[in-house]
Amino acid sequence: MHNYIWASIWVSFAGMLWGVDTGIIGPVTAMPGFADSFGTFSPTIHGLIVSSILLPAALTSFFAGHLADKVGRLNAISTGAAIFAVGAALEAGAVSLAMFIPGRALAGIGEGFFLSTVVVYICEICPPERRGPVASLVQLLTTLGIPTGYFVCYGSVNIKSSYSWRLPFILQAVFAAALACTCRFLPASPRWLIDRGHTSKVGPAMDRLQLDMQQFQEELESAGPAGGDTNEPQARQSYQRLLWVFREDNRKQAFLGMFLMGAMQFSGIDAVLYYAPTVFRQAGLSSTQSSFLASGITGIVIFVSTIPASFLSDNWGRRTLSLWGAVTMAFCMLLIGSLYASGSVHEHQGAARWIVIVTIYLFTISYSTTWSVGFKLYVSEIQPPQTRAAASSLAQSANWVSNFIVALITPIFLDYSSFGAYYLFGISIVLTGLVCLMYMPESRGKSLQTIHREFDESLHVKVLRALGRGLSQWGKKRGAVEVEEPKSTGSSISELSKLEKAKETST
């Protein structure tokens, strides 16, 4: 196995840190030992405790692209992991919520730095034919972290001390510190080295990663100027690149990426994961261990279903996956909401509660095989090389802002309405599916530097082309003159070139 795969696997463990935190925070806050340490709290405070990691992550993710451009992808990941380790240690040692919540906020700062940079690093060191499956490792290990966190809590809940809830955070801190130390020994991204002018280090980095230098050069040359004019005075300034994200030739990709990453959370997936014990108790699993066990099974289902999706990601179109995911997930959420709204779900009897539980599992399977694998990879793929790190960071920031909102409002929704949250998520999924249908071009199997050309053509030109095609077919049927289809600039140039050659031949 090539070294670039080993390097990708190791940095992907940053995703596992995120997954473990997602898996432990819901069960931890439902533990009797946690209530003994901090007292009981309202649904609003519960939402604040869970979501306090997310807003700092969103804010620091906004600047993660600048940090990754300036100090390198691996140094940014290492710095973020170190900060996360300190935050997790504060959570483990907390004696009050006034100490626990700032610890989560500090861990969020670390997450913001490392998580948005990991996929950028992997996409830059992998050849196009391997990029999909390898980059999907981040999501695969994230989903492995979720059941790991659940079952750590399932094993520690019976400890007769505060270590029942402290132990998961201790393990997090140790693992994050190990990741921070080891990332500094991996080879740097060759694309980043070229971008920063460290051309003498590109060869050794390529050798350590076991990459094909000729293929790498061909991929770079095939695109030309993809992300803007590299002769601009501030071309190598990361803050300037942050502004480049919003230039006319880049902002379509950036806005689509931000929307898709935000829409992932409004599907309701983290509402299910963060508050799984509460969700299953509401559906009729009343005991603590039963709800914890059902939560752990949810994590296992997500992990198992992510495995084939990760390895087959380059066999399925990103757009196709997104649309199928929207259809199936919307059906699940609207079905659960309708069962609760009709009063069919009863705590101790009836088939409806089992339908709800099974549908939750079906929803997680659908999410894990479609949006979770496709969106994160797609958002990084579609960005021009010069703005990839900054745009990916902005998209991750949008993801965390949405996650913060969902994590904060979900316990309040569940407390006041058993069905409102499910209808909210179902409608959000439908709207996202419509956006994917209209604005999401396919990226599977295309080189990183050429994908952005799919966005050169504006939506109204695509609409006119479709109308022109329809009118042309209608005209043929009626025996009318064929209607010309609108052509993009590139197509027009090609046609002009053919006409000129024809004229030369005739003369």
Side-chain angles (χ1 to χ4, degrees):
M1 191 158 58
H2 291 85
N3 287 344
Y4 69 81
I5 297 179
W6 287 113
S8 300
I9 290 172
W10 183 245
V11 297
S12 295
F13 276 101
M16 190 170 183
L17 275 177
W18 169 244
V20 168
D21 186 81
T22 301
I24 68 175
I25 190 59
V28 158
T29 53
M31 286 183 183
F34 193 82
D36 293 341
S37 298
F38 302 121
T40 58
F41 36 79
S42 68
T44 302
I45 298 299
H46 190 189
L48 180 62
I49 293 170
V50 172
S51 63
S52 56
I53 195 173
L54 300 170
L55 201 57
L59 293 174
T60 52
S61 177
F62 186 82
F63 301 103
H66 165 67
L67 181 67
D69 280 341
K70 186 173 183 180
V71 304
R73 316 310 192 203
L74 291 170
N75 286 333
I77 295 170
S78 179
T79 300
I83 296 172
F84 184 94
V86 175
L90 282 176
E91 291 177 88
V95 295
S96 66
L97 287 179
M99 182 177 176
F100 185 84
I101 292 176
R104 282 190 67 70
L106 188 61
I109 292 173
E111 275 188 348
F113 282 133
F114 70 69
L115 202 57
S116 60
T117 309
V118 168
V119 177
V120 173
Y121 174 74
I122 294 173
C123 284
E124 289 184 344
I125 68 172
C126 289
E129 64 273 12
R130 292 287 187 89
R131 189 176 65 236
V134 177
S136 299
L137 286 172
V138 180
Q139 183 61 27
L140 180 64
L141 289 176
T142 299
T143 60
L144 176 61
I146 293 169
T148 300
Y150 281 140
F151 283 108
V152 166
C153 294
Y154 182 75
S156 68
V157 67
N158 292 321
I159 297 176
K160 303 300 181 182
S161 70
S162 64
Y163 278 99
S164 61
W165 65 265
R166 295 184 193 274
L167 180 61
F169 295 110
I170 293 172
L171 297 176
Q172 262 192 314
V174 171
F175 186 76
L179 180 66
C181 294
T182 54
C183 275
R184 294 185 178 274
F185 297 99
L186 296 176
S189 162
R191 284 182 175 83
W192 178 81
L193 291 172
I194 290 176
D195 193 50
R196 302 301 293 181
H198 304 310
T199 53
S200 62
K201 298 179 181 180
V202 174
M206 296 282 290
D207 291 339
R208 288 184 64 192
L209 290 167
Q210 295 181 316
L211 291 171
D212 186 337
M213 178 66 79
Q214 182 177 355
Q215 182 186 24
F216 180 72
Q217 290 176 337
E218 289 174 355
E219 189 179 353
L220 288 178
E221 292 170 359
S222 67
D229 185 1
T230 54
N231 294 320
E232 292 185 27
Q234 300 298 320
R236 296 190 179 277
Q237 298 298 320
S238 296
Y239 285 124
Q240 182 73 13
R241 293 188 177 182
L242 187 60
L243 298 178
W244 280 0
V245 170
F246 301 103
R247 285 169 52 161
E248 185 176 358
D249 52 345
N250 301 327
R251 62 189 178 211
K252 295 176 187 176
Q253 299 94 304
F255 288 148
L256 180 60
M258 292 169 67
F259 173 82
L260 293 178
M261 290 294 282
M264 287 179 70
Q265 299 308 323
F266 277 98
S267 70
I269 184 61
D270 276 348
V272 172
L273 298 179
Y274 285 139
Y275 302 106
T278 302
V279 168
F280 285 114
R281 276 202 303 269
Q282 189 183 59
L285 299 180
S286 56
S287 71
T288 299
Q289 283 199 317
S290 295
S291 61
F292 276 29
L293 181 60
S295 304
I297 293 173
T298 302
I300 293 174
V301 167
I302 292 174
F303 174 64
V304 171
S305 58
T306 301
I307 294 174
S310 298
F311 289 106
L312 296 174
S313 59
D314 270 353
N315 296 329
W316 301 332
R318 320 286 194 237
R319 187 172 183 272
T320 303
L321 275 181
S322 302
L323 295 175
W324 274 112
V327 171
T328 54
M329 288 190 294
F331 172 79
C332 290
M333 281 296 180
L334 295 175
L335 174 61
I336 295 173
S338 299
L339 289 173
Y340 277 118
S342 64
S344 302
V345 183
H346 304 288
E347 185 174 347
H348 300 294
Q349 62 181 0
R353 64 184 183 133
W354 295 111
I355 294 175
V356 168
I357 292 170
V358 171
T359 306
I360 289 172
Y361 288 137
L362 292 176
F363 168 80
T364 57
I365 291 172
S366 177
Y367 177 87
S368 301
T369 54
T370 57
W371 285 15
S372 71
V373 172
F375 275 9
K376 291 182 180 179
L377 175 59
Y378 183 81
V379 166
S380 183
E381 279 183 325
I382 63 175
Q383 308 304 330
Q386 281 79 2
T387 60
R388 184 171 297 121
S392 297
S393 296
L394 289 175
Q396 186 62 58
S397 181
N399 179 273
W400 270 315
V401 169
S402 300
N403 203 346
F404 172 79
I405 296 170
V406 170
L408 184 63
I409 68 174
T410 296
I412 302 173
F413 260 108
L414 294 176
D415 186 58
Y416 285 97
S417 169
S418 59
F419 59 87
Y422 297 105
Y423 278 145
L424 171 65
F425 298 139
I427 293 170
S428 298
I429 293 168
V430 171
L431 294 176
T432 303
L434 292 175
V435 171
C436 292
L437 181 64
M438 296 175 63
Y439 295 98
M440 187 177 180
E442 184 55 67
S443 65
R444 180 173 65 95
K446 299 174 183 177
S447 67
L448 291 175
Q449 286 86 356
T450 57
I451 288 172
H452 81 283
R453 293 172 181 165
E454 295 285 338
F455 290 87
D456 287 345
E457 193 175 73
S458 62
L459 179 64
H460 79 273
V461 174
K462 295 178 182 178
V463 172
L464 288 174
R465 174 175 284 121
L467 289 174
R469 188 180 297 115
L471 290 172
S472 177
Q473 293 174 353
W474 179 82
K476 287 178 180 178
K477 291 179 181 179
R478 297 294 300 271
V481 179
E482 184 175 331
V483 180
E484 289 293 331
E485 297 181 8
K487 297 182 174 59
S488 63
T489 304
S491 300
S492 300
I493 293 173
S494 177
E495 292 296 325
L496 287 172
S497 178
K498 290 179 181 178
L499 289 172
E500 289 175 359
K501 288 181 181 179
K503 288 180 180 178
E504 291 175 0
T505 303
S506 63
T507 55

